[in-house]
Amino acid sequence: NAGVMQNPRHLVRRRGQEARLRCSPMKGHSHVYWYRQLPEEGLKFMVYLQKENIIDESGMPKERFSAEFPKEGPSILRIQQVVRGDSAAYFCASSPALAPPPDEQFFGPGTRLTVL
Amino acid sequence: EDQVTQSPEALRLQEGESSSLNCSYTVSGLRGLFWYRQDPGKGPEFLFTLYSAGEEKEKERLKATLTKKESFLHITAPKPEDSATYLCAVQARSSASKIIFGSGTRLSIRP
């Protein structure tokens, strides 16, 4: 019974490169959330997706960041032209469809992005 | 603006020394309050959901309580393996999605 899976676990990029982070939700879950955790700071909401739809992207930076959750395959968080300030741990969480509120979210192990 | 404040930032206890962690929140209509545990280098692990004031939940040495303005995580006779960062988070009725997290309390239990 696999939990939320994220890969890669560690990612190193040089400034200006692209970073692609993947998240496979728990079996039976169709809601995916992305959070960012900067060093010594709390988790900050970025985006909420359901299959093929972005529901809430109010926490996503307006430029360089995008997210998708296709009908088939994992959710992808994409960061274009990375800068040093993008270095952080990125966590994905999932919750089941039609869950009674409130919606408990279950987290993956995170991807630690380092920008050189 | 929805907000979560946790105190203290860090807490060091002797094994067996009970204590409480505080989570103060401001939210426009509480949908739920969550407690998570996070170990270094890992994702948050779900502990409890509290729905309304007066509610309590227990799990092993942990007990979470909720009032209209704050939540407490009580730790009874802790062991070194309880050392972790404990995160409090809230979800507002106006939001069907995002959870607002506090900065956490780093708990260290000395043997």
Side-chain angles (χ1 to χ4, degrees):
Chain A
N1 182 20
V4 178
M5 297 175 67
Q6 291 188 248
N7 66 82
R9 294 293 308 278
H10 300 273
L11 182 61
V12 179
R13 285 288 178 266
R14 296 191 179 279
R15 281 179 297 169
Q17 291 184 321
E18 179 179 287
R20 281 188 179 232
L21 288 60
R22 295 176 197 78
C23 168
S24 296
M26 285 180 70
K27 188 176 180 181
H29 288 193
S30 59
H31 297 201
V32 166
Y33 314 80
W34 285 94
Y35 292 82
R36 177 164 64 176
Q37 188 172 38
L38 294 166
E40 304 304 322
E41 291 189 19
L43 285 148
K44 303 293 185 191
F45 169 82
M46 299 180 74
V47 62
Y48 162 43
L49 309 106
Q50 295 178 18
K51 286 283 187 181
E52 300 184 283
N53 283 305
I54 297 174
I55 307 302
D56 180 351
E57 56 182 348
S58 59
M60 195 91 105
K62 294 286 183 265
E63 297 179 354
R64 300 188 299 108
F65 285 73
S66 62
E68 63 176 11
F69 189 16
K71 188 176 180 181
E72 301 290 338
S75 175
I76 306 285
L77 179 67
R78 182 181 176 204
I79 311 172
Q80 295 178 291
Q81 299 176 334
V82 295
V83 301
R84 289 216 174 106
D86 297 332
S87 295
Y90 291 84
F91 290 97
C92 169
S94 72
S95 66
L98 304 178
D103 306 312
E104 295 153 358
Q105 297 178 12
F106 296 88
F107 284 78
T111 293
R112 274 142 193 89
L113 173 65
T114 301
V115 179
L116 302 177
Chain B
E1 183 182 343
D2 299 336
Q3 194 169 313
V4 178
T5 303
Q6 291 188 247
S7 63
E9 287 186 14
L11 181 62
R12 290 170 62 89
L13 300 172
Q14 198 68 36
E15 183 173 1
E17 181 185 0
S18 301
S19 188
S20 296
L21 313 183
N22 177 263
C23 170
S24 298
Y25 65 92
T26 304
V27 66
S28 51
L30 182 70
R31 183 166 160 142
L33 183 141
F34 308 93
W35 282 96
Y36 286 85
R37 168 190 171 133
Q38 186 174 25
D39 292 295
K42 296 190 176 180
E45 174 190 344
F46 173 77
L47 293 174
F48 303 110
T49 305
L50 299 168
Y51 299 79
S52 56
E55 189 175 3
E56 297 183 355
K57 294 246 176 108
E58 284 190 68
K59 181 180 179 181
E60 296 181 355
R61 294 177 292 281
L62 300 176
K63 183 168 83 171
T65 62
L66 180 65
T67 72
K68 288 187 176 179
K69 291 186 178 181
E70 56 191 352
S71 177
F72 292 93
L73 185 65
H74 307 277
I75 302 177
T76 303
K79 299 181 178 181
E81 54 262 40
D82 294 323
S83 298
T85 295
Y86 289 85
L87 303 171
C88 173
V90 297
Q91 188 177 51
R93 279 202 206 98
S94 58
S95 168
S97 54
K98 64 184 169 186
I99 292 179
I100 309 297
F101 279 87
S103 297
T105 294
R106 289 191 309 279
L107 179 65
S108 175
I109 309 298
R110 298 189 299 272

